Amino acid sequence: MVKEKLPRRPVSDLSVMLATLNPVLHSGVFVFATASELTAEDAPHIVSSMREEEGLSVIAAEEHAARRGWPVALQVAWLTLKVHSDLNAVGLTAAVSRVLAAQGIACNIVAGVCHAHVFVPYAQRSAALQALRCLQSDATLA
């Protein structure tokens, strides 16, 4: 009998979350785009989606969005904060957006059940990763 590995308990303490951010930059270029419909073939290429009054917004691999002809609103890099953050935790989004804003980097944050995902303009991906690593380092020293 094989036991399933259970995820660690989610972290809700802001100082612990910041000290253990462990941001990871995913390879590839992603886009915010509008899709009229999704097919089963789209599923592996979609990072996230949100139904809005105006249509279906998706975050997807750039190559796939181009193949599908989806109108692109923004080209982005995808960073995952590897800390298992609690969905009820307060302050993580504010701290991340504050440190990126101080560097002039726009961000869009999407929460998953286990991790927060940060999308930044593709050209600023390295600066964003460095800013998040500094945020973690500063929290670790505090």
Side-chain angles (χ1 to χ4, degrees):
M1 183 165 145
V2 176
K3 285 187 177 183
E4 288 185 37
K5 183 178 178 185
L6 296 176
R8 295 184 321 216
R9 293 184 62 124
V11 178
S12 59
D13 181 277
L14 180 59
S15 61
V16 174
M17 282 189 292
L18 296 178
T20 59
L21 276 181
N22 299 323
V24 173
L25 176 63
H26 294 261
S27 62
V29 182
F30 299 87
V31 295
F32 277 76
T34 305
S36 56
E37 65 179 355
L38 297 179
T39 67
E41 292 175 23
D42 295 322
H45 308 282
I46 302 295
V47 175
S48 184
S49 65
M50 176 64 66
R51 181 150 315 276
E52 301 181 284
E53 274 183 38
E54 298 82 3
L56 182 63
S57 293
V58 296
I59 304 170
E62 181 181 51
E63 290 177 0
H64 185 74
R67 275 195 305 274
R68 294 283 275 130
W70 294 337
V72 171
L74 182 64
Q75 185 183 61
V76 295
W78 171 20
L79 297 108
T80 295
L81 306 179
K82 297 302 279 187
V83 60
H84 184 177
S85 51
D86 190 323
L87 286 168
N88 284 314
V90 175
L92 180 61
T93 298
V96 167
S97 61
R98 184 186 73 247
V99 76
L100 293 175
Q103 298 295 315
I105 302 170
C107 71
N108 291 276
I109 301 174
V110 177
V113 171
C114 296
H115 306 287
H117 305 273
V118 183
F119 298 89
V120 298
Y122 188 76
Q124 295 178 298
R125 65 194 179 281
S126 296
L129 181 59
Q130 182 60 33
L132 294 175
R133 286 179 175 163
C134 285
L135 176 62
Q136 178 177 345
S137 178
D138 290 349
T140 302
L141 299 174

